[in-house]
Amino acid sequence: MNNALQENKKYKKFVVDSRLQYFKPHATKIEKTFAEEISSTLGSNSKSIHPKFFYDNKGSELFKQICSVSEYYPTRTEISILQKLQTELPPFLDEDFRLVELGSGSSVKTRLILDFFTSSQKNTEYFPIDISEILTESSEELLNDYKNLTITGIIDTYEGGLEFLKTYDDKKNLIIFLGSSFGNFSPIDGYKFLEKVYSTMKPGDLFLIGLDLVKDKTILESAYNDSEGITAKFNLNVLSRINDELDADFDLKNFSHYAIYNEKDQRIEMYLKSLADQSIVVSKSDLELKLQKDELIHTEYSHKYRLSQIHDLLDDVGFELKHTWLDDKKHFSLTLVSKN
Ligand code: AVJ
């Protein structure tokens, strides 16, 4: 057993069985509550709701549905690239790597990587880092399907989990961050995040990042305005969540989904548009929100990158570029970098 780990006093260890354990911080850090965050972001002049709040049970289910609508190309494109990596990533790895994932992800993608890890290693270690405890559920199936797999979940923010990993042991890590989740960050926050990743990596560790690429505006806008209206439901669902959890009285009929591509800033911008002059009470945030007809509540940015920007960004942080994989249409990218 690993001593460094048990000595990490900030985390409590839960052993489920010999192949599954997880770590959770004792005290949740002094983070703002949902109510407080909504109070400040909806109470300000430019109203917004952070996209991390999309993912309650209903929202996570809707996001899964988005991933399979025909207009939403990122998921299936990234999967097609990961299929190529089955033979093209192993040359960059040796026996000793463990797989670390930021977000416990869709297990379809994780599995594509676990396939070749488990077939070339005697024992494979998988460390998902996720703020939600969902990883304890999805783990069972993985353990059933891969007999030489052990899972150590870290239930914390990405930054917290990476910090934890830094003092864990000397085993090499392949850290993966898929799905263009990075696109939610503003360029400045994204840069800071990558610096954090870099600072927690050991020499020899690898980082694989999936990023959506700049492309034709109509393809981008269709992906966030699917004809089945699933993205609209996903966006509006955050208001239901606020109703349920913060005792608010949003009437969803008085809002519409609005998503456009901002070419200058290279990002999809998602909003909830108020369809009338209205006033909403959010009891637990101690807030009375006044909205005018056509006023927008910002809910998400999804930044798109050019290959040269991805390379410059990673290079600026200090990473060494190993390889970038693309699909045939150059819609999506996976880039592997190392810390030397
Ligand atoms: C999970 C942030 C990568 O930006 O494409 C999908 C979320 N929002 N449709 C994205 C999302 C609307 C997604 N990310």
Side-chain angles (χ1 to χ4, degrees):
M1 270 287 118
N2 190 293
N3 286 320
L5 203 87
Q6 264 134 345
E7 281 161 23
N8 194 324
K9 297 250 161 56
K10 287 192 209 150
Y11 290 78
K12 184 167 166 44
K13 178 180 180 174
F14 298 83
V15 177
V16 180
D17 59 48
S18 63
R19 294 171 60 211
L20 176 62
Q21 59 179 358
Y22 61 98
F23 290 89
K24 222 181 137 167
H26 282 293
T28 31
K29 307 187 185 89
I30 338 108
E31 269 168 22
K32 281 195 184 171
T33 64
F34 184 25
E36 286 165 342
E37 247 186 83
I38 289 301
S39 164
S40 67
T41 64
L42 278 187
S44 83
N45 272 337
S46 59
K47 302 178 176 68
S48 67
I49 301 170
H50 195 282
K52 69 184 173 200
F53 296 125
F54 281 141
Y55 302 94
D56 63 352
N57 287 338
K58 185 85 211 288
S60 301
E61 175 51 37
L62 287 166
F63 180 65
K64 259 194 229 156
Q65 290 179 31
I66 288 174
C67 291
S68 53
V69 300
S70 60
E71 295 95 335
Y72 193 76
Y73 62 85
T75 309
R76 63 167 182 277
T77 308
E78 188 177 42
I79 288 173
S80 77
I81 304 170
L82 283 168
Q83 270 150 358
K84 285 201 283 206
L85 262 62
Q86 297 258 16
T87 53
E88 296 183 21
L89 195 55
F92 293 97
L93 306 168
D94 60 38
E95 267 284 318
D96 303 330
F97 276 88
R98 76 156 64 87
L99 181 63
V100 178
E101 182 166 27
L102 303 181
S104 57
S106 102
S107 60
V108 183
K109 295 179 197 171
T110 310
R111 277 164 186 269
L112 285 170
I113 297 187
L114 284 176
D115 282 345
F116 62 80
F117 264 81
T118 54
S119 64
S120 65
Q121 297 181 327
K122 211 160 97 210
N123 288 298
T124 293
E125 289 183 25
Y126 171 53
F127 280 44
I129 302 174
D130 201 303
I131 191 74
S132 89
E133 292 196 30
I134 198 137
L135 58 86
T136 53
E137 294 162 27
S138 51
S139 296
E140 297 293 341
E141 280 179 46
L142 289 178
L143 291 172
N144 258 324
D145 295 348
Y146 301 99
K147 295 299 178 202
N148 57 342
L149 179 69
T150 58
I151 303 179
T152 300
I154 305 168
I155 299 165
D156 201 354
T157 60
Y158 297 153
E159 285 91 340
L162 286 167
E163 199 60 51
F164 174 89
L165 192 67
K166 189 179 180 176
T167 54
Y168 186 71
D169 63 7
D170 292 332
K171 196 173 164 105
K172 280 188 269 180
N173 300 300
L174 167 65
I175 302 167
I176 61 172
F177 192 31
L178 304 178
S180 205
S181 299
F182 182 80
N184 273 165
F185 287 122
S186 69
I188 291 166
D189 290 347
Y191 189 85
K192 288 190 202 147
F193 178 76
L194 290 176
E195 280 189 319
K196 180 78 196 181
V197 173
Y198 186 82
S199 75
T200 57
M201 284 167 68
K202 295 184 287 277
D205 280 353
L206 293 167
F207 179 56
L208 180 72
I209 183 167
L211 287 173
D212 198 8
L213 300 174
V214 168
K215 61 182 65 60
D216 188 272
K217 189 182 169 114
T218 57
I219 298 176
L220 284 166
E221 289 190 341
S222 311
Y224 294 82
N225 290 284
D226 66 278
S227 51
E228 293 172 58
I230 313 285
T231 310
K233 276 194 198 161
F234 172 74
N235 197 8
L236 285 155
N237 178 65
V238 76
L239 298 181
S240 305
R241 179 175 186 185
I242 296 173
N243 282 348
D244 295 347
E245 294 182 27
L246 304 180
D247 266 332
D249 60 356
F250 283 102
D251 183 347
L252 271 58
K253 291 194 298 298
N254 290 339
F255 292 87
S256 69
H257 165 72
Y258 179 55
I260 49 143
Y261 184 60
N262 175 334
E263 244 154 326
K264 177 179 149 286
D265 294 321
Q266 289 179 209
R267 66 191 182 203
I268 286 285
E269 302 184 352
M270 240 164 66
Y271 301 91
L272 289 160
K273 185 192 269 189
S274 173
L275 299 176
D277 288 352
Q278 53 182 319
S279 151
I280 297 103
V281 173
V282 187
S283 304
K284 292 192 178 161
S285 296
D286 211 9
L287 184 72
E288 189 186 334
L289 178 67
K290 292 205 183 336
L291 291 166
Q292 295 183 325
K293 183 170 188 300
D294 295 331
E295 193 173 342
L296 302 174
I297 299 173
H298 174 247
T299 52
E300 184 168 47
Y301 288 140
S302 185
H303 289 84
K304 311 303 169 187
Y305 285 86
R306 297 179 196 286
L307 268 187
S308 58
Q309 294 172 323
I310 296 171
H311 294 161
D312 289 349
L313 177 62
L314 291 164
D315 186 67
D316 285 350
V317 171
F319 286 110
E320 183 187 310
L321 181 68
K322 292 290 189 187
H323 200 83
T324 296
W325 290 269
L326 304 171
D327 57 298
D328 297 340
K329 294 181 186 157
K330 299 188 168 54
H331 279 179
F332 202 92
S333 65
L334 279 167
T335 299
L336 181 71
V337 292
S338 66
K339 173 169 179 169
N340 297 332

